Amino acid sequence: MTRPSHDTPAGILAGLELVELSAFIAAPLAGLSLAQMGADVIRIDQSGGGLDATRWPLSREGVSLYWQGLNKGKRSVQLDLRREEGQRHARELIRQTGMVVTNRPDTAWLDYESLRQDRKDLIMLAIRGTHDNRGAIDYTIQARTGLPFLTGQATGESPVNQMLPAWDMVCGLLAASGLLAAERRRRETGKGSLIRLSLEDCALWMLSNLGMLAEAEIGEEPRRANGNDVFGAFGCDFGTGDGRRVMVAALSNRQWRALTDATGTAEKARHMARALDADLDTDAGRWQARDGLKLLLAPWFAGRDYAEVAETLDRHRVLWGPYQTIRDLVTSDRACSPENPIFARVDQPGAGEYLTSAIPLDFGGERDPGTRRAPVQGADTASVLAQFCTDAADV
Amino acid sequence: MTRPSHDTPAGILAGLELVELSAFIAAPLAGLSLAQMGADVIRIDQSGGGLDATRWPLSREGVSLYWQGLNKGKRSVQLDLRREEGQRHARELIRQTGMVVTNRPDTAWLDYESLRQDRKDLIMLAIRGTHDNRGAIDYTIQARTGLPFLTGQATGESPVNQMLPAWDMVCGLLAASGLLAAERRRRETGKGSLIRLSLEDCALWMLSNLGMLAEAEIGEEPRRANGNDVFGAFGCDFGTGDGRRVMVAALSNRQWRALTDATGTAEKARHMARALDADLDTDAGRWQARDGLKLLLAPWFAGRDYAEVAETLDRHRVLWGPYQTIRDLVTSDRACSPENPIFARVDQPGAGEYLTSAIPLDFGGERDPGTRRAPVQGADTASVLAQFCTDAADV
């Protein structure tokens, strides 16, 4: 397989090799991030396909679009990991590449200390459910974080799950950074690393980062569900005269002025501020007065069609976005089309041509088309074994 | 400032230096990730505090817990960036560290080509709203992704925003990887990089990764809001006899057997499968039959108190988690306590002692306590200028 050179943007990680023994989102996302920056990532699955081989969503032909999405730019190998020979081949790939990421449970043949016998400076990143090695997935952790009670108009009895697997995403992306950090140290000191990372810790870390754990521990009163409002600032949604909805926000005085200028409500807002004892020159004041401010602004939106709303808000550089379905996004939003350099239409195996994204990091120049293409599951088995394993003739 | 050595886990990025000209979440999160792995990260804000200096949530004393959470382990410098002297000092810090991340708008003094005159191999990562440089924040992009129509029981008229700024999180974490990748290339080739990254592209990339763009483009029928159900598998929430709720999931045959064994519903499930023509040995079949399966399972949960439900599910290794508030999480969940090695109680400036997280990447050994502490805003101005700027005496 020809890899991009250092001089092409996708070749930023040229020369980096990684074995991935993975399923679902977090571990594959780590490999995807590195593969789309030009690393040679070899994903190994059980012969016949891993647990996520047919994970939804599917194409009409039954091919997993989920699997394809998370494995673009990689090579795909299938081995019988229940037998000694498959394990031996996997270990040989790990030894030669010197780097492995996995979310598989601890087993003897994939144990760091044992793998390190073969390669002293091995870097291994092992993802687990919790720091004390209990089973967990994004959705079970989400329930424990309290976020479903803060979503929508949730009440104590009806938590609302967020549908995006945010913790898997954080875990996979942080794993990619962890692997690069460990490789940097290996280059400096020759030392390998065993890196452990749990999905649950990723969630707790991010709640700490956003100040939400501290707020719950030492804050004045517990945060409540605030519907679609942006917490602690002015941000909410409005309906237009022709039945569309838009999300509008102001996180600075400039943005707030833009919004009141666009809607001609500056003077009314000043009166509302006096009526509600709020200082509209601060986020806190705009949050405090938000229900009053919505009363002023809503008629402006309701009195205009979407096209006029959009044109006026854009002209005044208001921070806003239209609500649209994901189908609208794909079919009619220019950001989600080949006009955006991250996208190209790619013929994916068994699914046909569809819009596919390169990594959004733009290092300058053209994206390498190879980093957008998903492999056929298992299709690289023979060539990878021929490249790495001396006894590959028996496969 | 004493930095950890290579031999301590937090020193994995020892020797890496980064200047951050940032506000809000994405750019600070990139710096936070590197700082908590031992890089020396210097955040520069406008004198008197940047746009997010008092962003909610706040402590009772009015200190921003949000700012503290996103800036742990960094040094904090304030300069008057509207004046030539402040810009000159910022440029000198960038020149000497050789690496900068920012989400500030393009301006002449912070222009890559201009900065590169001072330092040929500079690495700069610039975050913007969209690839074509339009304003956007997480919430306005979220509306455009279509996710609010897929959350909870949303209908076409009532989109439900996810309250977690997932795109900011993706953007910041991907930025950290991008900086490490560029630094790797610089070590190999001596070349610097200008890296551009947009918040909107991060969202579109992740929708591509999860197969959701492809599903919307070439799938059979549009995805609908599915309440708290895990799409394409068996996962949903149940109420217990004493008024608690739990999230339960099965993403493999083993996990499904664990759930039916724990609840004694294996035989009933087989009858339900026949009644609904579903193959319960597949995710697709369990998804298809989910409403019937819930009818079987709900009475088991409703007939028991939470304590018995928890004990039984754990004993059978069912994948599950309790719904709890974020306050419950902080006060009574052992994972969110100093029993978990990522956490310690830290006395944060002006806010008092609260539970604070190190980075979840565990490279072995103890976490460096310094990576959990937030600086006083601006407190490192004099010492940093004395270290980096020869004319610092005039500050």
Side-chain angles (χ1 to χ4, degrees):
Chain A
M1 189 181 192
T2 310
R3 305 303 304 180
S5 78
H6 280 119
D7 291 309
T8 66
I12 196 100
L13 289 182
L16 192 74
E17 297 180 315
L18 172 72
V19 167
E20 194 191 290
L21 280 143
S22 64
F24 301 114
I25 298 174
L29 181 59
L32 175 71
S33 306
L34 302 182
Q36 289 201 310
M37 286 192 274
D40 184 5
V41 177
I42 301 168
R43 171 164 168 161
I44 304 177
D45 282 292
Q46 176 63 32
S47 301
L51 286 174
D52 58 353
T54 58
R55 185 88 180 85
W56 285 25
L58 306 178
S59 76
R60 290 176 195 218
E61 301 79 10
V63 170
S64 173
L65 301 171
Y66 171 103
W67 198 96
Q68 290 191 337
L70 285 159
N71 295 290
K72 301 184 286 272
K74 302 178 191 175
R75 296 197 271 177
S76 172
V77 166
Q78 292 187 348
L79 301 173
D80 187 352
L81 297 169
R82 296 180 188 126
R83 293 178 54 205
E84 191 279 337
E85 186 189 60
Q87 297 170 5
R88 183 159 40 83
H89 285 147
R91 288 175 61 116
E92 182 60 18
L93 288 175
I94 293 168
R95 186 185 73 77
Q96 288 192 45
T97 59
M99 191 181 279
V100 57
V101 61
T102 187
N103 64 325
R104 286 186 158 244
D106 298 341
T107 55
W109 73 269
L110 195 59
D111 171 71
Y112 178 70
E113 285 309 321
S114 152
L115 292 167
R116 216 162 66 98
Q117 303 300 315
D118 303 333
R119 169 102 186 211
K120 283 271 172 282
D121 65 351
L122 178 69
I123 293 169
M124 177 172 189
L125 193 148
I127 296 174
R128 36 176 65 178
T130 69
H131 76 282
D132 51 1
N133 208 13
R134 294 152 64 99
I137 60 170
D138 190 285
Y139 302 92
T140 62
I141 290 169
Q142 189 189 140
R144 292 176 59 195
T145 61
L147 293 178
F149 288 127
L150 299 176
T151 305
Q153 305 290 356
T155 65
E157 281 162 23
S158 58
V160 177
N161 285 5
Q162 304 196 108
M163 64 81 64
L164 205 59
W167 310 127
D168 278 329
M169 288 155 42
V170 170
C171 187
L173 293 171
L174 195 55
S177 284
L179 289 167
L180 290 173
E183 203 246 355
R184 182 178 184 276
R185 177 167 72 170
R186 181 166 68 186
R187 286 171 168 242
E188 287 204 335
T189 69
K191 285 187 189 169
S193 302
L194 169 63
I195 314 164
R196 291 204 179 275
L197 179 61
S198 89
L199 194 58
E200 182 179 76
D201 282 356
C202 288
L204 296 171
W205 178 60
M206 198 55 72
L207 295 179
S208 169
N209 298 344
L210 296 171
M212 294 180 70
L213 292 185
E215 177 187 30
E217 184 182 350
I218 65 165
E220 202 104 31
E221 52 176 333
R223 196 187 294 200
R224 287 183 302 227
N226 291 304
N228 287 350
D229 294 354
V230 176
F231 177 68
F234 187 81
C236 60
D237 56 333
F238 292 104
T240 65
D242 52 351
R244 295 286 306 270
R245 287 198 86 75
V246 296
M247 180 76 199
V248 173
L251 299 180
S252 69
N253 290 342
R254 187 201 70 69
Q255 290 166 2
W256 175 248
R257 273 195 309 274
L259 179 58
T260 51
D261 287 352
T263 54
T265 55
E267 191 187 336
K268 286 180 178 169
R270 274 191 295 276
H271 289 296
M272 183 61 76
R274 286 212 194 147
L276 297 176
D277 271 333
D279 176 2
L280 295 192
D281 288 333
T282 66
D283 279 329
R286 295 187 287 259
W287 167 255
Q288 181 196 324
R290 69 191 183 282
D291 288 336
L293 298 173
K294 286 184 208 173
L295 293 176
L296 294 184
L297 289 163
W300 187 87
F301 289 91
R304 281 158 183 79
D305 280 359
Y306 172 76
E308 185 184 343
V309 166
E311 189 278 322
T312 310
L313 297 182
D314 274 343
R315 185 155 37 83
H316 286 85
R317 295 178 55 219
V318 173
L319 211 50
W320 76 284
Y323 284 87
Q324 59 188 359
T325 66
I326 191 164
R327 197 168 172 82
D328 293 335
L329 173 70
V330 173
T331 55
S332 63
D333 192 322
R334 286 174 52 196
C336 191
S337 82
E339 288 187 52
N340 180 338
I342 66 169
F343 283 112
R345 305 194 63 80
V346 178
D347 193 7
Q348 302 284 12
E353 192 180 274
Y354 61 80
L355 198 66
T356 311
S357 178
I359 203 159
L361 289 160
D362 177 6
F363 296 95
E366 292 292 309
R367 257 76 170 199
D368 174 17
T371 68
R372 289 199 190 87
R373 196 160 293 125
V376 175
Q377 294 190 36
D380 302 301
T381 307
S383 63
V384 167
L385 290 183
Q387 181 187 344
F388 288 93
C389 299
T390 47
D391 63 347
D394 59 357
V395 176
Chain B
M1 190 181 191
T2 311
R3 305 301 306 178
S5 77
H6 279 118
D7 291 309
T8 67
I12 197 101
L13 289 182
L16 193 75
E17 297 180 315
L18 172 71
V19 167
E20 196 190 289
L21 281 144
S22 64
F24 299 115
I25 297 174
L29 181 59
L32 175 71
S33 306
L34 302 183
Q36 290 202 310
M37 285 193 273
D40 184 5
V41 178
I42 300 168
R43 172 164 168 162
I44 303 177
D45 282 292
Q46 175 62 31
S47 301
L51 286 175
D52 57 353
T54 58
R55 185 91 179 85
W56 285 23
L58 306 178
S59 76
R60 291 177 192 215
E61 301 79 10
V63 170
S64 173
L65 300 171
Y66 171 102
W67 197 95
Q68 289 191 338
L70 286 158
N71 294 290
K72 301 183 287 271
K74 302 178 190 174
R75 294 197 273 176
S76 171
V77 167
Q78 292 186 349
L79 301 172
D80 186 352
L81 297 169
R82 295 180 189 129
R83 294 179 54 205
E84 191 279 336
E85 187 189 59
Q87 296 171 6
R88 182 160 40 85
H89 285 146
R91 288 175 63 115
E92 181 59 20
L93 287 176
I94 293 169
R95 186 186 71 78
Q96 288 192 45
T97 58
M99 189 181 279
V100 58
V101 62
T102 187
N103 64 323
R104 287 186 158 245
D106 298 342
T107 57
W109 71 270
L110 195 58
D111 171 70
Y112 179 70
E113 284 310 321
S114 153
L115 291 168
R116 216 162 67 96
Q117 303 301 316
D118 302 332
R119 169 103 185 211
K120 283 271 172 281
D121 65 351
L122 179 68
I123 294 169
M124 178 172 187
L125 193 148
I127 296 175
R128 35 174 65 177
T130 69
H131 77 282
D132 51 1
N133 207 14
R134 294 153 63 98
I137 59 170
D138 190 285
Y139 303 93
T140 62
I141 290 168
Q142 190 189 138
R144 293 174 60 194
T145 61
L147 293 178
F149 289 126
L150 299 175
T151 304
Q153 304 289 356
T155 66
E157 282 162 21
S158 59
V160 177
N161 286 5
Q162 305 196 108
M163 63 83 62
L164 206 59
W167 309 128
D168 278 329
M169 287 157 40
V170 169
C171 186
L173 294 170
L174 195 56
S177 285
L179 289 167
L180 291 172
E183 203 246 358
R184 181 177 184 275
R185 177 168 72 171
R186 181 166 69 185
R187 286 171 169 242
E188 287 203 335
T189 69
K191 285 186 188 170
S193 302
L194 170 62
I195 314 164
R196 291 205 179 274
L197 179 62
S198 89
L199 195 58
E200 181 179 77
D201 282 356
C202 288
L204 297 171
W205 178 59
M206 198 54 72
L207 295 179
S208 168
N209 297 345
L210 296 171
M212 293 180 70
L213 292 185
E215 177 188 30
E217 184 181 351
I218 65 166
E220 202 101 31
E221 52 177 333
R223 197 188 294 201
R224 286 183 305 226
N226 292 302
N228 286 350
D229 294 355
V230 176
F231 177 70
F234 187 81
C236 61
D237 57 332
F238 292 104
T240 65
D242 51 352
R244 296 285 308 269
R245 287 199 85 76
V246 296
M247 180 75 200
V248 173
L251 300 180
S252 70
N253 290 341
R254 189 202 67 71
Q255 290 166 3
W256 175 248
R257 273 195 308 274
L259 178 58
T260 50
D261 286 352
T263 53
T265 55
E267 193 186 335
K268 285 180 177 168
R270 275 192 294 275
H271 288 296
M272 183 61 77
R274 287 216 194 144
L276 298 176
D277 272 333
D279 176 1
L280 296 191
D281 288 333
T282 65
D283 278 329
R286 294 187 287 258
W287 166 255
Q288 181 197 325
R290 68 191 183 283
D291 289 336
L293 298 173
K294 285 183 207 173
L295 293 176
L296 294 183
L297 288 162
W300 186 88
F301 288 91
R304 280 159 185 79
D305 282 358
Y306 172 75
E308 184 184 344
V309 166
E311 187 278 323
T312 310
L313 297 181
D314 275 343
R315 184 155 38 84
H316 286 85
R317 295 177 55 217
V318 173
L319 212 50
W320 76 284
Y323 284 89
Q324 59 187 358
T325 66
I326 190 165
R327 197 168 172 84
D328 293 335
L329 173 69
V330 174
T331 55
S332 63
D333 193 321
R334 286 173 53 194
C336 191
S337 81
E339 287 186 52
N340 181 337
I342 66 169
F343 282 113
R345 305 193 64 78
V346 178
D347 192 6
Q348 301 285 12
E353 193 181 274
Y354 60 79
L355 198 68
T356 311
S357 178
I359 203 157
L361 289 160
D362 176 7
F363 295 95
E366 292 292 311
R367 257 76 168 197
D368 173 17
T371 67
R372 288 199 190 90
R373 196 161 293 126
V376 174
Q377 293 190 36
D380 302 302
T381 306
S383 64
V384 167
L385 290 184
Q387 180 187 344
F388 288 93
C389 299
T390 47
D391 62 347
D394 59 356
V395 177

